[in-house]
Amino acid sequence: MTQFAKKLRGILEKAGKLDTATGDTLLAEAQTQKRPFTEVLVKKGIATEHELLALIAKAANIPPIDLAKLAVNKEVLDSVPEAVAREYQIYPVDKIGSILTIAVANPFDVVKLDDIRIVTGCTLRLVVSTAEEIEKIRGKGYQKESESVDGILGSFDDADVELKEADLEEEGADLSAISDEDSPIVKLVNKMILDACNTGASDIHIEPFEKKVIVRYRKDGSMSEAMTLPKRMQNNITSRIKIMSKLDIAERRKPQDGKFQMKIGNKAIDFRVSILPVVWGEKTVFRILDSSNLALDIKSLGFEAKCMEDYLWACAQPYGMILVTGPTGSGKSTTLYSAVKHIAAPDINLVTVEDPVEYQLEGINQVPVNVKAGLTFGAALRSILRQDPDVVLLGEIRDHETLEIAVKAALTGHQVLSTLHTNDAPSTITRMVDMGMDPFMVASSTLLIAAQRLGRKLCANCKRKVELSKDALLRLGYLESDLTQPMDLYEPVGCPRCNGGYKGRFALLETMRMTEPIKRMVVEKAHISDVKKQALSEGMLTLRRCGLMNAMRGKTSLQEIEATTMAD
């Protein structure tokens, strides 16, 4: 794949979409993270999938194909063994006589194409697709009936149904129904995990109701139903997940948290599991933690120039506190990890305290919180400060004790990075004072407060341009000066490639530097609205403003910005 990546880099450089230095950097990143070069290019915004396909197709003089719209034909699939299709990264599309049409991601590999001709005994006709699309449709196309949801449900023996609580508590109980790799329950759980990973979901929700169990995936921030299962399978599914997560399968009255790891393709993916008793049983939620999707290059996060400047300035300071705020699932951890990676150096002692450690970073000391053992955020932070740290990352500030230690650490020569749950940057000051912190200490210790949200990106394949009146744009929050600039506004449509018109997410960041005027206002206990006005006069971009700027560029829709951010 390296030769193809180099070839593709040359094609992009010739098209003016990539310079040599950036090409080398992205190529090295793809090799280090073992990700397809095309995936890295799309994630970095160098080109869309459509643009890449068009460029490859033009360079190879081969037509592109949209595999998402392709109907699976079993007779055609039988002409190419699944092992061959996987090894050579191809997918059979059509066959007429001895002429076989195949989708390839790399049409320039002559040796590979010769091998396929010999194996199939056919004359090849090529069409071009991306490696990701080929992988996705191959998993669906070659799926055996016994591995489909209907096939698994059909093989589920009612005689084995529902392990009783008394059975689970017995020593030496027969757990083969939920531990044997060939059992329907194990296959079903593996399938829902594999499907979720292949569709790019971030969470799996298994929800028990009176007469059924519903499985839903969260993708790009929104939930969608994936499958409905019979109620009789509920306890076996939950017990299987508990075994995978090393939890107590006999305990059904208390919440439990665990984790496990699975190898999917060439990637080891971590899963964080939460089990919560509800009215009709136990609800299970998986958080999918794929470290290959973690953007550790701080400059690749896509923040506005002013926000990026503020964030990099704070990271460069020798001591003080950087706070990233926002609700759960707003990307705070990714933003903090990127700062850690940016700051980390051989001459710096960097330690993190997390609950739990989501991603393991090379060369960084990471401490997992263990409340049962007495290792709380406060206790861990106290011990860390005796370990001569330069930089400390606190997963979250939850109480007065942790906040007080963090503030004192920031005032005594340490750089502290952490998160809080607040709605915007200015209100974080109020939150810290409410938690019992003296305003003078808040002003003296804090370098930067950043509020973050995640917005959904429009699908490049189906987004549709819209025109809005001047009054409508002004009501949404645009300025008169904005209306004189080029404005490409789009709305979501929806197609087989995306999720309701959206594909992927991007970060919105509101940064507020603790400048001298703002510090004075905090010490004087000025109203938070006055603090916000001062920050705006100094150039702070609010979350809504950042969103509107992205909508102007056609990156997202105005509907998404209204749903994600509050009006200023």
Side-chain angles (χ1 to χ4, degrees), residues 11 59 111 141 153 167 185 206 264-265 325 355 369 374 377 411 418 439 458 472 499 527 535 564:
I11 293 170
V111 175
L153 294 180
D167 295 337
I185 288 296
I206 305 171
I264 297 177
T325 76
D355 182 22
V369 166
F377 275 110
L411 289 171
S418 192
L458 283 165
N499 183 26
H527 194 275
T564 308

Side-chain angles (χ1 to χ4, degrees), residues 250-401:
E251 178 57 72
R252 297 186 179 181
R253 296 161 297 178
K254 295 179 183 177
Q256 295 190 69
D257 296 310
K259 60 182 179 179
F260 65 92
Q261 187 180 82
M262 282 182 73
K263 189 167 184 181
I264 297 177
N266 294 322
K267 294 188 288 188
I269 297 178
D270 293 302
F271 297 86
R272 201 168 74 205
V273 178
S274 173
I275 296 178
L276 179 70
V278 294
V279 174
W280 299 110
E282 292 175 288
K283 177 180 176 179
T284 303
V285 178
F286 294 78
R287 170 63 59 87
I288 301 171
L289 303 171
D290 183 0
S291 58
S292 67
N293 290 331
L294 190 64
L296 290 178
D297 180 4
I298 198 168
K299 293 179 181 176
S300 72
L301 294 175
F303 300 147
E304 298 301 319
K306 169 70 168 62
C307 303
M308 182 60 75
E309 180 189 330
D310 287 343
Y311 198 52
L312 289 173
W313 168 83
C315 290
Q317 302 310 302
Y319 57 87
M321 189 155 58
I322 302 170
L323 292 171
V324 182
T325 76
T328 303
S330 59
K332 301 188 297 295
S333 294
T334 299
T335 301
L336 284 178
Y337 277 134
S338 69
V340 165
K341 195 69 176 175
H342 180 75
I343 294 167
D347 59 342
I348 288 176
N349 180 18
L350 200 157
V351 187
T352 78
V353 188
E354 303 167 66
D355 182 22
V357 174
E358 291 192 5
Y359 299 102
Q360 294 182 15
L361 305 177
E362 185 71 30
I364 292 170
N365 302 293
Q366 295 174 272
V367 180
V369 166
N370 188 340
V371 177
K372 288 181 181 177
L375 186 61
T376 62
F377 275 110
L381 186 51
R382 273 197 210 91
S383 295
I384 285 169
L385 294 177
R386 292 193 288 269
Q387 295 251 323
D388 185 32
D390 298 299
V391 181
V392 178
L393 183 149
L394 271 173
E396 185 182 345
I397 293 176
R398 297 178 178 175
D399 50 42
H400 170 73
E401 179 195 20

Side-chain angles (χ1 to χ4, degrees), residues 70-71 77 152 200 318 376 398 448 482 510:
L70 184 70
L77 288 176
I152 292 169
T376 62
R398 297 178 178 175
L448 179 81
D482 294 331
E510 169 184 299

Side-chain angles (χ1 to χ4, degrees), residues 188-190 192-194 196-197 201-207 215-218 223 237-238 240-245 247 257-262 269-275 283-289:
L188 182 61
V189 172
N190 288 347
M192 66 175 71
I193 291 171
L194 187 62
C197 292
S202 60
D203 300 85
I204 305 170
H205 291 243
I206 305 171
E207 303 169 321
V215 179
R216 296 196 294 167
Y217 298 155
R218 184 181 293 280
M223 301 278 282
I237 291 171
T238 307
R240 170 58 187 167
I241 294 163
K242 286 179 180 178
I243 285 177
M244 295 169 74
S245 310
L247 300 176
D257 296 310
K259 60 182 179 179
F260 65 92
Q261 187 180 82
M262 282 182 73
I269 297 178
D270 293 302
F271 297 86
R272 201 168 74 205
V273 178
S274 173
I275 296 178
K283 177 180 176 179
T284 303
V285 178
F286 294 78
R287 170 63 59 87
I288 301 171
L289 303 171

Side-chain angles (χ1 to χ4, degrees), residues 477-495:
Y478 282 107
L479 307 175
E480 288 280 356
S481 57
D482 294 331
L483 305 184
T484 62
Q485 299 178 28
M487 193 176 290
D488 295 317
L489 299 175
Y490 292 86
E491 64 181 2
V493 177
C495 69

